[in-house]
Amino acid sequence: MSVDGWSRLLVLGGIRSGKSEFAESLLKDVPVVRYVATAATDPDDPDWTARIDAHRLRRPAGWTTEEANADPSRLAELIADAGPGDTLLVDDLGGWVTVLLDPAHQPADDVATIGELGAAIRDCPARLVLVSPEVGLSTVPVTPLGRAFADALGTTNQAVADACDAVVLVIAGQPAWLKAGADRPAPTPGGAGLPGVPTQADRATADRTTADRTAADRAAAAPSAWTEVMGEVPQVLRPTVLPAAAADPVPSPGTATTPGWTAPTMTLPVVATGLVIQAGMDLPMPDEYAGPAAVDRLGTLDLPGSGLGRLDRVVSFAAATQGTPTPQPWRSVRVLLLHGDHSGGAAAGTVPGESARRAEQARRGAGPIARLAAEADATLQVVEAPLSRPIEEGPALTADEVEAALRYGWRLAEEAVEAGVDLLVLAACGAGTGAAAAAVLAATTGAEPAAVLGRVVTPGGQVDDEAWMRRCAAVRDAMHRTRRSPRDAKDVLAELGGGDLAIAAGVLLGATARRTPVLLDGPVGVAAGLVSRDLAGQARHWCLLPDHGGQPAVEFGADVLDLRPLLDLRLGLGEGAAALAALPLLRAALTLAGALPVHPSLATEPADPATEHPEPATEGPEPPTEGSEPATESPGRNDGAPDDDWEFIEPSPTGPGPTAVPEDGRRDGAIVPPGV
């Protein structure tokens, strides 16, 4: 579910219009839904019973069904009793009106009952989707009962539509939005556009489409530099594997060269999101059961040795983010290379124009990031952020610039997912990013700036201690300047972070909302992870850190975020390079986990083909099945260490017997420490 502010949605449609299927598609990613059924079965009407059975078969296994087909007041009670964490789907109000008009409940004040339902919907704190037939487009019924039904249903639809945040009319399976609000986009099947955060009474006016803005609108929305950069989405490029670099990789003026890029993979539209990004957002979490189930499954595979080692965490992460114990390797990867410079002492020791040269180099398909992206068959976007102001003198950004940067990052992630991307890699190449990240770490975690600020290395490989001291002084002065400032996420980004960190935080939030994992690699990504954690605690669970690179800021921030690096490559090729270098290894682990069969000694015994009439199974508890009940806590532990540092080998479903002992020597019921 997204964070666009809806909590009550009315889906209208005629008979066989697809209204119920559309409403169900909006909630298909919600694990637990309370389905409120208003229709009653009629044993004398098999066609009606078949329709109800078809509805039941479409519902996911995690949904529960509650009946509201006996008393008209029951529906209002169910809605009023729902809590903020509940999700209700009412299908449909036509059945409720039928119960309302039942002679058994007459005489009654139908208008008052409809008003009570509308009031319950308006005050409901839960997520609520209601389905109702639209009968106002046909002729007036010829029977008194038909006219009474049409009148009562029309009155009900008007009252419910007034109480809802959004109303959609489904015709031939196509939604037409009747009420979505000027500041909110329409939800889409899959949940995008439904509520994830409480609606603010004073919501900020959403951005309009760029084509509809006037020059005055642009000037009022944001400073000119930010409007110019963020009005367009950067081109999506696909690198190709280049031949060995020449002595001078930068072409001379007038020299004809073969471009290192193929044509853009797509043209990205400019979309106004209308988001309100604020602390406490309710974004999706990875599947808490799929990850442990995938690791348990690894213990049954036909592996010649002790297994995948640390790479089992990759399998667990991919399983949780994909929602299955048999995850697939990431096929479509996009690298977001953030280029945003920081002015003042934060950029001390950098060569003027060096970061811009690196960004242009990546656009041409040269340099480490582009070549590693080519090897990984990943697309690349070079994202430009305007220059951030000196943090020792004043705020790096204004509040409006922070909002614009967060929304821009969210949009980048959202459009990547729409293009079919299933993994994002966050990279950066700006000047002074290390100092800005150290300041953000100090503000959000209380770290000592000098302890998390990495050494300054010149292009020739020399350590510049003087530049490092100047950066330390800039961060120290910034921390002193903001000692009485709020430490909210947006305030930290405005005072200390800068544009690239704010965009990175928006990318992480947008990827979380779209259930897409992100590989972090460097100070910018980790600092953005800390900021996004304070806006939505779920964001860090969608992040994976392949390598810390020996950078103190990354090591410290990863410890706070509980992101344990998989490798220790200590590459010095720029933020994002280590993640791309490790990507083939991560994919290989997922390929093995998904392709290898179960070890023969653990395979289920085949049935005897000679037995034509097997004895009926006796009653009793069923044996556990693979991945049916993943362990959430390792037995025998009370030392406070995380449970996932140990592995508990479940007893074999076949029970004791002369089965072979696995080659790693572990037996059923054993508790295995890390690394064994």
Side-chain angles (χ1 to χ4, degrees), residues 426 428 437 519-528 545 547-549 551 553-554 574-576 578:
L426 208 52
L519 296 188
L520 303 182
D521 177 21
V524 171
V526 171
L545 183 66
D547 184 42
H548 58 69
Q551 302 182 68
V554 178
E575 182 162 348

Side-chain angles (χ1 to χ4, degrees), residues 259-284:
W261 303 92
T262 60
T265 57
M266 62 175 293
T267 301
L268 293 176
V270 178
V271 180
T273 61
L275 298 168
V276 174
I277 299 177
Q278 61 184 6
M281 291 189 295
D282 182 17
L283 300 184

Side-chain angles (χ1 to χ4, degrees), residues 10-23 91-94 130-138 149 153 157 167-176 178:
L10 174 62
V11 181
L12 297 170
I15 299 173
R16 296 295 190 186
S17 63
K19 59 184 183 297
S20 295
E21 291 91 337
F22 179 79
D91 194 0
D92 67 8
L93 294 180
L130 304 105
V131 181
S132 184
E134 175 53 59
V135 296
L137 302 179
S138 61
F149 177 82
L153 184 58
N157 286 344
V167 181
V168 58
L169 175 64
V170 179
I171 303 173
Q174 305 303 309
L178 309 180

Side-chain angles (χ1 to χ4, degrees), residues 50 63 90 187 272 370 419 455 458 476 478 565 568 571 573 575 594-595 666:
W63 291 18
V90 180
R455 308 300 293 270
T458 66
R476 177 202 61 199
D568 189 8
L571 295 180
L573 302 176
E575 182 162 348
R666 298 181 293 182

Side-chain angles (χ1 to χ4, degrees), residues 341-349 387-397 431-433 435-436 439-440 453 467-483 485 492-498:
D341 291 341
H342 299 255
S343 56
L387 182 68
S388 300
R389 304 174 187 90
I391 57 176
E392 66 269 31
E393 298 177 4
L397 303 175
T433 56
V440 170
L453 183 60
W468 180 84
M469 288 187 287
R470 290 167 58 192
R471 293 187 185 187
C472 275
V475 176
R476 177 202 61 199
D477 293 345
M479 298 302 297
H480 180 75
R481 178 182 60 81
T482 61
R483 64 191 183 278
S485 300
V492 170
L493 288 174
E495 294 288 349
L496 306 169

Side-chain angles (χ1 to χ4, degrees), residues 142 159 163 293 353 394 562 598:
V142 297
D562 195 25
V598 175

Side-chain angles (χ1 to χ4, degrees), residues 43-64:
D44 298 328
D45 191 343
D47 180 65
W48 181 249
T49 302
R51 288 176 179 241
I52 294 177
D53 291 341
H55 276 253
R56 289 173 176 167
L57 292 174
R58 285 203 309 261
R59 301 170 202 166
W63 291 18
T64 61

